[in-house]
Amino acid sequence: MAALWVEDGVYDVDSGYLAGHGELAAMVGSDQHQAFIARGCGHFLTPAHITVEHDHAIAAGHSLLVLRERDAFLIHRVTAHHWPLTRTPDGWRVRRRTSRILDGDVFAHRLLAAGVRGEQPHRPAGADDRAARTAAAGRPGRAS
């Protein structure tokens, strides 16, 4: 999964902040992520809205994280995503993925709106940024 990002790519999710191939690969190999896989899970992504300009693109869309709980599959979260991409000699790669759970936070909606316009999102003043706090505290992020 890390190979889909540029070497210094960022995954900025509400539950953590990951930078570079090493942190991305560590998240996928983490006990929590592997436990999700072992018990049954899936990410379902909606078709993305993509704006391409030369060797750069911005994609935006939603995802559902579905986890198996006993004998049923339940939606664990619905998330908004904003993906700046760059074309490399090896194909398109992710520069950054910013993801926020759709729980009423204004920033999650701004991610989608900016993506549809082909723009970078603007964080509202005073917005809750759990990912930035996690990074500032020096704690590795967890993402799903």
Side-chain angles (χ1 to χ4, degrees), residues 3-144:
L4 297 174
W5 266 256
V6 295
E7 185 64 37
D8 61 347
V10 168
Y11 182 14
D12 175 2
V13 66
D14 46 59
S15 59
Y17 185 94
L18 307 169
H21 283 185
E23 289 186 9
L24 291 163
M27 180 273 295
V28 172
S30 71
D31 290 343
Q32 179 183 21
H33 196 88
Q34 292 301 309
F36 284 164
I37 293 168
R39 80 175 198 227
C41 76
H43 290 276
F44 294 90
L45 281 73
T46 62
H49 182 282
I50 304 171
T51 303
V52 178
E53 188 172 319
H54 307 291
D55 289 337
H56 300 281
I58 293 182
H62 300 81
S63 71
L64 303 175
L65 173 59
V66 180
L67 298 174
R68 190 177 67 131
E69 300 284 342
R70 293 182 212 90
D71 294 328
F73 285 88
L74 304 173
I75 297 173
H76 180 68
R77 61 184 286 146
V78 180
T79 308
H81 304 282
H82 184 278
W83 307 71
L85 310 165
T86 195
R87 189 187 332 248
T88 74
D90 297 319
W92 288 96
R93 297 292 181 263
V94 178
R95 287 194 329 257
R96 181 181 191 95
R97 174 181 170 183
T98 304
S99 303
R100 293 296 184 275
I101 193 167
L102 285 161
D103 63 358
D105 183 354
V106 171
F107 186 57
H109 295 280
R110 288 188 181 189
L111 289 173
L112 296 171
V116 168
R117 292 189 307 269
E119 301 172 354
Q120 296 297 325
H122 299 284
R123 175 164 288 290
D128 179 28
D129 192 348
R130 292 167 275 195
R133 288 197 316 269
T134 298
R139 295 187 309 266
R142 68 170 177 82
S144 54

